[in-house]
Amino acid sequence: MEKIIRNFLEIKFLNELKHKKKPNSKYIVKKVSSEDFQLNKFFYKQIGKNHQWNDRLAWDDKKWINYVSNPNVFTFVLKDSEDIAGFFELIYHKSKSEIEIAYFGLLTDYMDKKLGGYMLTEAIKISFSYKIKRVWVHTCSFDHKNALNNYLARGMKIYNIETVSTKSA
């Protein structure tokens, strides 16, 4: 049995966001078309292989297409000039007036370059542009070693912690 610690974090007001500036002008966050499910699938597999993201590995293309076609799912990529560096998926829960940062990560070549803070700043700013009451995310002990600290450094606060046991592989 392996214990996984899962932290749930939230930020309720844009003015609580502690901004991290863009490291240099060649980086940009851009929304991508919901028609390009292969991009979500690529990021999920490439970033997720290091963090035990496995719930979507069994999805066929139809399930991916249905997911990214949902009008409440938004995908953004971090670009380094023309190259892709990272991504995040936002899920708009309209009835609760909140946005969940469902997936967030950088490709291996872009880790440890101070890009996570900038990308999270942009994710939170974009989320609040939807006139919501809060942005939330969960992170666990399988995620990047800096993930929790990045969320906290941007002004998010832990509102729940749970420990889950899993069978070891």
Side-chain angles (χ1 to χ4, degrees):
M1 293 283 251
E2 187 172 3
K3 291 200 182 289
I4 302 165
I5 299 169
R6 197 178 291 149
N7 290 280
F8 294 81
L9 300 99
E10 67 184 359
I11 187 167
K12 293 186 174 181
F13 302 99
L14 183 57
N15 65 5
E16 293 176 348
L17 173 63
K18 296 173 184 156
H19 294 258
K20 182 75 172 181
K21 290 187 169 60
K22 187 188 303 194
N24 67 54
S25 62
K26 68 180 183 168
Y27 293 103
I28 186 166
V29 171
K30 185 176 181 182
K31 188 175 182 182
V32 295
S33 167
S34 63
E35 297 162 13
D36 192 3
F37 77 95
Q38 293 287 3
L39 191 63
N40 293 66
K41 188 176 177 180
F42 166 80
F43 276 120
Y44 182 86
K45 287 181 174 183
Q46 290 303 307
I47 294 169
K49 68 183 174 188
N50 298 320
H51 307 293
Q52 297 193 25
W53 295 356
N54 53 30
D55 54 319
R56 295 183 186 178
L57 292 177
W59 284 14
D60 61 14
D61 287 352
K62 184 176 182 190
K63 189 148 185 172
W64 276 104
I65 291 166
N66 287 339
Y67 174 74
V68 300
S69 298
N70 180 326
N72 294 317
V73 173
F74 313 113
T75 303
F76 293 82
V77 295
L78 174 66
K79 295 190 88 177
D80 171 6
S81 299
E82 290 304 310
D83 295 330
I84 52 175
F87 91 126
F88 55 91
E89 290 178 1
L90 303 178
I91 301 176
Y92 180 36
H93 300 281
K94 193 171 188 174
S95 64
K96 295 179 181 179
S97 190
E98 64 186 26
I99 286 187
E100 171 189 359
I101 301 172
Y103 285 93
F104 180 95
L106 294 164
L107 295 172
T108 306
D109 290 349
Y110 290 93
M111 288 183 177
D112 302 318
K113 295 184 178 192
K114 306 291 183 197
L115 293 169
Y118 163 67
M119 194 165 75
L120 183 57
T121 296
E122 293 302 301
I124 292 170
K125 285 179 4 187
I126 290 164
S127 295
F128 276 107
S129 74
Y130 287 89
K131 310 290 186 238
I132 44 109
K133 293 181 182 172
R134 77 176 187 141
V135 179
W136 69 276
V137 66
H138 77 271
T139 189
C140 76
S141 45
F142 289 138
D143 289 339
H144 189 277
K145 63 184 180 183
N146 296 332
L148 179 59
N149 287 336
N150 187 25
Y151 295 124
L152 293 169
R154 301 290 72 75
M156 298 187 92
K157 294 179 178 46
I158 296 172
Y159 69 90
N160 190 28
I161 300 173
E162 63 183 27
T163 303
V164 186
S165 296
T166 64
K167 294 178 186 175
S168 296

